[in-house]
Amino acid sequence: MTPARERNRKGAGDRLRPEILSAAASLVAEGGADALSLRAIARRAGVTAPAIYAHFKDIDAVRNAVVAETFSELADWLARGAQDRTDPVDRLRATCRAYVDYGFRNPRQYAILFSTPFELPDLESPKSLATMQGGNAFAILLDAIKACVDAGRSRSTRIEDDAAAVWLALHGYVSLTAALPDFPWPPTDTLLDNMIDRLAQLS
Amino acid sequence: MTPARERNRKGAGDRLRPEILSAAASLVAEGGADALSLRAIARRAGVTAPAIYAHFKDIDAVRNAVVAETFSELADWLARGAQDRTDPVDRLRATCRAYVDYGFRNPRQYAILFSTPFELPDLESPKSLATMQGGNAFAILLDAIKACVDAGRSRSTRIEDDAAAVWLALHGYVSLTAALPDFPWPPTDTLLDNMIDRLAQLS
DNA sequence: TGTACATCAGTGAACGCGCGTTCACTGATGTAC
DNA sequence: TGTACATCAGTGAACGCGCGTTCACTGATGTAC
C-alpha cells in the first residue's frame, strides 16, 4: 500500500522533517492549499499520519512551515533572477519580472503565501523586516530601488513607500490575472514595465 | 433544533433561493470561504441540506452564485461611493477609495472574489466586459479614468491599460495588506493617492 | 566480543466529526371537476 | 360549495468519505557493561 520507505536509523529521526515538508510542497504544487491535509502529506511521505506529530505540533504548524519555506524559495528566485544585472534599472526590472514569473510558474505555491492572515510571530513583535513573512523578498525589491535612486535613475524620495507600491502592484498583477484568466488583460511586458517605471519613478 | 421556519406555500418555492444566498453570504462574512458548506448554509437558512438541491445543482453552483452576488455588491458600492462627485479626478479618487474601503470592511467577502479560478461562463466565450466576473466593477473604474482623460486631467493614451494597472494596484493593496497586516505599510492615503496619480497619469 | 537494555522511529487501530449527495417519503395546498 | 387528487416544498435517514488527533504498541538499534 504505502510506498516502501525504510525507517530512519536511531539517531536520525530528524531526517523525516524535510521529507514531510517536501511532500507537503509537492501537494501544494499539484492541488493547492486545499490538498494540504495531514493525512495526504503522510501518505505522500510514505509514513503514517501520527508520525508527523513527532516533528510538528499540529497541522497548522506544518502549513506555516510550508509557507515560510515558500517565501524563502521566492526570495531565492528573485535574487537569482537579477544576479547578473549590473545596471540598476535593469536589475530592478529583472527582479520584478522574476517576481511575476515565479507567480506564473507556481500559481498554487504563490497563492498560499497570501491566502491567510498569519499567526503572530514567535518573538514579541520584533517588527523588523527580516523576520517578517515576505520580508526577505521585499528587502530584495527595496535594495533594487535604492540602487536606482543612488545611481540617479529614480526620482523617488520615499523609497520604502515606493517599494511597497511596486510590491503591491506586482502582487496585484500575479493574483488578479490568476484569478480572472479570461479577463482581457493587456500584454504582460508593456503593462508591467509601465507600472514599474511609474511607481518606482524611473527616469 | 432548527430555527422555526415555515414552509413556503405551493407556488412560492422560489422564495427559498434568495434565503439560501443570504445565509451563504452571512456565513462568508463571518467565517470566510471555508465556512461555506452546504450543510452550514442549510442550517442557517433553517432548512435541511437536501432542500438546497431544488435550487442549485451542487455546492459549487451555490459558491458561484455567492461570488457573482458579491461582485455586483462591490460594483454597487463603487458606484455609490462616487455618485456625488462631479470633478472627474475627484470621482476617480473616490472610486478607488471606495474599492479599498470595500475590501477593508468586508475582507472575507472580498477574498472569495479572487480565491478561485472561475468556471467557464455559460455562453461560449462572449469575452465582453459586461459579462465577465468583475466586469461591472472594472467598467466603473474605466469610465472614471475616461472622464479624466476627456477633461484633460489625465495624459493617459491607453485608457484600458491604465485602468487595468489601477485595478491591479488596488487589488494588490487590499489583498496584501489583508494577508500581511503586521507588515509596516505606509499610511493608506498617501500610498493610494500616489499610486493612482501615477498609474492613471493624472496631472 | 557478547549481551541486556533503554531509547527511538515509527505503526495500527480507533475516536468523533462534518461533509456532499441520494433516496424514499410526507403533508400541506392549490386546482379540476 | 365540496371533494378528490396531483403537485409542490420540503424532511429524515442513510451512504461512504477524509479529516485531525489520541493512544497503546512494536521492533530495530545504538550503547553501557
Side-chain angles (χ1 to χ4, degrees), chain A residues 118-174:
Chain A
F118 292 112
E119 84 290 12
L120 301 170
D122 306 9
L123 309 171
E124 249 305 318
S125 79
K127 293 242 179 181
S128 96
L129 261 185
T131 64
M132 296 259 4
Q133 298 278 21
N136 289 343
F138 182 73
I140 292 173
L141 193 57
L142 191 59
D143 280 351
I145 294 187
K146 226 173 235 159
C148 291
V149 174
D150 290 345
R153 310 283 297 275
S154 163
R155 305 180 306 279
S156 175
T157 53
R158 303 164 148 217
I159 303 180
E160 285 83 4
D161 287 17
D162 291 337
V166 171
W167 189 15
L168 296 172
L170 293 174
H171 170 68
Y173 187 65
V174 172

Side-chain angles (χ1 to χ4, degrees), chain A residues 5 7-10 13 39 48 50:
Chain A
R5 168 184 188 274
R7 188 182 287 237
N8 285 323
R9 305 291 269 274
K10 218 176 150 191
R39 294 180 102 113
T48 60

